[in-house]
Amino acid sequence: MFACAKRTRDLGYRYAPGDISIDGRRGKDGDVRIRLTAMNLSLVDPFVLAQDIPEALIARLRSSGSAVCLRFSRQGDLLASGTAKGAIAIFDLETNGVARKLRGHTPGRQVQSLSWSSSGRYLLSSSVDWKAILWDLQDGSRIRTVNFGAPIFIAELHPTNHLICAAALYEHQPALADLTNSKPKKTLLPTVPKRSSYEQDTLSEKQAAQDAKQFTSVALFTPSGQHIVAGTTKGWINIIEVKTSQIIHSMRLSSKAVVHLRITPSGRDLLVNANDTIIRTIKLPDLTDPKLEPDSIRLEVEHKFQDVVNRLSWNHVAFSSAGDYVMASTYMNHDVYIWERGHGSLVKILEGPKEELGAVEWHPHRPFVAATGVESGKIYLWSVNTPQRWSALAPDFAEVEENEEYIEREDEFDIQPIEELHKRRLDLEDEEVDVLTVDPAKPGQFMNEFHMPVQLDIDASDSEDEMIAIGAGQYRRKNEGADADDMEPDDDTMDDNGVNGTEEVANGSSKRRRGD
């Protein structure tokens, strides 16, 4: 392994191999330090470090129930998931463990959507039990609960005001809710598309009746919060002005229902998934321009993504963090398709689980993707395989691209008198360490960033990575009691580390059963 060895004073040997440099030396305090230096970074593919799309399945997470919807926090450190049983689990992406569990919706009623506030402190959840709940993650309390009087398709928080939300309702008009007071104030929003004067004059009674029958299936705010983009069950896209609650522009994309919408952080690109097996990206005008006239708005379709051979349908769609890529999960298929928007070509198909995938989300800052399994309810995570960085082991590690000749200082390895070393230690003990002063935020850092407190009495982590082997074909959770049930592995739910998937029973007890 080692190419050569050099004798150093009082410390033994210093190795200078082609792979790793091990350097032993004595510090000023008399302690012996060992330095490992990676030498062959040139052997690492530089394109791996510059990748901006995920490439491999890295983990599987399990919440207490089947996960059906996902949402990353704006900072990207937390992942919220809603289950088919009405519970919400928030995962810490540093440890893949459950940081908090929220229960407030009617048990057995599916959570339909999740929406984070810009600070990351508040979370809005909606369910088919007609309710939307605003949570304060500082202590996990419910700030507001609003009953919309109908099952909710999706509910979204205002980008800058967490006390305002918009909701698309089943067979009802969409609503804008003001949660400032204890009794929420709801304002109904229009669904009937806005037509030009010529179209109004030539509109037949049949078309007018069809317009009246459609309802809004999805609605979300633009990044400025001044407008709402809504999709209907007849394939229309409506742009609604929040201030007046009126539609300022309508466009028909398809004869099928619009099921998902996504907007880039810039607010200039719209992603539409309709039930006609076609995914569209649309260029939006600058809706914040005060000189923009509603009659001059023109929505242009930039790209159409579809599988013309297999005629695949798409379950869920999402933009990448920068909006350069479009991602979609497929109906009755276990693949995730990723297209780049420059030329509209397919660049990656993420493979991993052997089950159909439902909701998919792209991390707001990194090439990191999360998706839910339709059958098992697990959460799958894809990311980039990064090379091991030896500099992460200690602050004073130095990484070099090639071997370098080292010339030691004259007194570098001299033995220091014990009295002098003892005096230095005593001087260091007298130093006062300031642990109260908060360093100023770095330029560009989010000033109002919220960090969710650690909940110490949380149930055992729901991450499958917490499973460890205790015998041949037997597994248990880390730090679990001695009465944990033994389990047998299931090939269908085995993860990359040979860990068998398990789940908690609905009543939250410590018993486990075999993976689905």
Side-chain angles (χ1 to χ4, degrees):
M1 174 180 178
F2 300 111
C4 61
K6 176 183 178 182
R7 179 72 178 176
T8 58
R9 283 177 285 179
D10 79 80
L11 291 181
Y13 291 91
R14 176 182 178 190
Y15 296 94
D19 295 327
I20 300 175
S21 173
I22 304 178
D23 182 9
R25 63 181 62 188
R26 188 181 299 277
K28 294 182 180 180
D29 55 0
D31 296 333
V32 176
R33 294 189 177 92
I34 302 296
R35 171 179 296 180
L36 303 177
T37 306
M39 308 298 289
N40 284 337
L41 288 183
S42 59
L43 298 179
V44 179
D45 186 358
F47 293 101
V48 173
L49 303 178
Q51 282 189 10
D52 51 2
I53 57 175
E55 61 178 11
L57 185 67
I58 61 170
R60 295 169 171 85
L61 309 179
R62 162 74 73 181
S63 60
S64 301
S66 298
V68 292
C69 60
L70 296 170
R71 208 64 182 270
F72 285 103
S73 64
R74 301 292 179 92
Q75 290 75 33
D77 56 339
L78 300 172
L79 174 65
S81 69
T83 69
K85 298 179 180 179
I88 299 169
I90 300 178
F91 291 90
D92 178 10
L93 294 179
E94 291 294 330
T95 63
N96 286 350
V98 176
R100 191 179 293 277
K101 292 182 179 180
L102 306 173
R103 291 181 175 88
H105 291 286
T106 303
R109 298 298 182 91
Q110 177 174 301
V111 176
Q112 287 290 95
S113 68
L114 298 165
S115 178
W116 290 86
S117 66
S118 57
S119 65
R121 175 172 177 174
Y122 304 99
L123 178 70
L124 181 72
S125 62
S126 65
S127 171
V128 294
D129 65 357
W130 301 7
K131 294 185 297 184
I133 301 177
L134 181 63
W135 304 87
D136 185 355
L137 299 185
Q138 179 69 37
D139 53 7
S141 62
R142 283 180 279 179
I143 300 179
R144 297 285 187 272
T145 300
V146 53
N147 190 322
F148 284 98
I152 303 173
F153 277 137
I154 184 174
E156 285 281 327
L157 280 179
H158 192 278
T160 59
N161 187 350
H162 67 276
L163 294 176
I164 296 178
C165 70
L169 310 176
Y170 178 71
E171 292 188 349
H172 281 69
Q173 288 182 261
L176 183 67
D178 187 348
L179 311 179
T180 304
N181 300 320
S182 58
K183 186 177 181 181
K185 178 183 177 182
K186 292 177 288 186
T187 303
L188 295 181
L189 301 176
T191 297
V192 178
K194 179 182 179 181
R195 296 178 181 270
S196 63
S197 300
Y198 174 77
E199 290 176 329
Q200 288 287 353
D201 295 337
T202 59
L203 188 66
S204 64
E205 293 183 1
K206 182 178 179 181
Q207 289 176 328
Q210 290 178 349
D211 287 348
K213 289 181 180 179
Q214 65 182 315
F215 54 91
T216 299
S217 55
V218 58
L220 71 163
F221 285 98
T222 58
S224 65
Q226 299 178 12
H227 298 85
I228 294 174
V229 180
T232 74
T233 55
K234 296 295 183 179
W236 285 86
I237 299 294
N238 294 326
I239 299 178
I240 305 172
E241 189 176 31
V242 174
K243 184 178 181 180
T244 61
S245 299
Q246 296 297 322
I247 297 177
I248 62 173
H249 182 76
S250 297
M251 173 187 180
R252 188 165 193 179
L253 285 180
S254 170
S255 60
K256 301 294 184 178
V258 175
V259 292
H260 288 104
L261 294 176
R262 282 288 186 268
I263 297 181
T264 55
S266 65
R268 302 304 299 271
D269 300 286
L270 176 67
L271 181 63
V272 182
N273 178 28
N275 279 338
D276 58 358
T277 71
I278 301 177
I279 301 173
R280 299 170 176 87
T281 55
I282 298 175
K283 284 292 185 180
L284 294 177
D286 185 4
L287 298 176
T288 61
D289 187 358
K291 299 180 179 180
L292 180 66
E293 294 293 336
D295 294 337
S296 65
I297 296 178
R298 296 292 182 271
L299 301 183
E300 300 179 359
V301 176
E302 178 189 37
H303 289 297
K304 293 182 179 181
F305 305 102
Q306 59 181 324
D307 189 326
V308 296
V309 177
N310 300 318
R311 303 292 296 177
L312 294 175
S313 297
W314 314 105
N315 284 338
H316 204 274
V317 295
F319 271 124
S320 64
S321 54
D324 298 330
Y325 298 93
V326 170
M327 173 181 62
S329 59
T330 53
Y331 176 70
M332 298 295 291
N333 195 292
H334 59 270
D335 295 332
V336 176
Y337 284 64
I338 299 178
W339 298 270
E340 57 88 23
R341 293 180 55 204
H343 298 88
S345 58
L346 181 67
V347 295
K348 186 72 175 180
I349 298 179
L350 297 180
E351 300 178 355
K354 298 179 180 179
E355 65 172 316
E356 181 183 351
L357 299 175
V360 291
E361 290 290 335
W362 197 300
H363 192 276
H365 309 299
R366 297 191 285 125
F368 188 87
V369 167
T372 61
V374 172
E375 299 173 6
S376 66
K378 298 177 185 177
I379 300 173
Y380 300 94
L381 304 178
W382 288 266
S383 186
V384 176
N385 285 329
T386 56
Q388 186 176 13
R389 307 303 295 270
W390 290 91
S391 60
L393 302 179
D396 58 347
F397 276 12
E399 295 181 355
V400 293
E401 296 183 356
E402 58 184 9
N403 291 340
E404 297 179 359
E405 183 178 356
Y406 181 80
I407 303 177
E408 64 184 46
R409 300 190 305 273
E410 183 177 356
D411 59 344
E412 184 172 359
F413 300 110
D414 291 348
I415 299 177
Q416 303 291 336
I418 298 179
E419 296 80 5
E420 183 178 349
L421 296 177
H422 183 64
K423 182 177 180 300
R424 291 178 182 175
R425 291 194 183 98
L426 294 178
D427 293 340
L428 292 175
E429 291 179 356
D430 295 336
E431 284 189 16
E432 294 185 0
V433 181
D434 185 7
V435 297
L436 300 178
T437 303
V438 179
D439 295 333
K442 298 179 180 179
Q445 187 175 358
F446 193 72
M447 298 298 295
N448 298 323
E449 185 175 351
F450 169 78
H451 295 282
M452 189 173 65
V454 176
Q455 191 172 3
L456 299 178
D457 57 348
I458 193 75
D459 296 341
S461 172
D462 287 338
S463 170
E464 289 191 4
D465 293 337
E466 294 295 317
M467 304 297 296
I468 58 176
I470 60 175
Q474 298 177 342
Y475 300 87
R476 68 168 175 83
R477 291 188 182 274
K478 292 182 180 179
N479 300 327
E480 194 174 23
D483 58 344
D485 295 336
D486 293 343
M487 293 170 291
E488 296 180 0
D490 190 334
D491 293 338
D492 293 337
T493 57
M494 193 76 69
D495 69 4
D496 297 336
N497 298 321
V499 177
N500 181 39
T502 61
E503 69 172 355
E504 296 182 353
V505 294
N507 61 7
S509 66
S510 61
K511 294 181 180 180
R512 306 293 188 268
R513 65 178 177 85
R514 290 186 58 187
D516 296 334

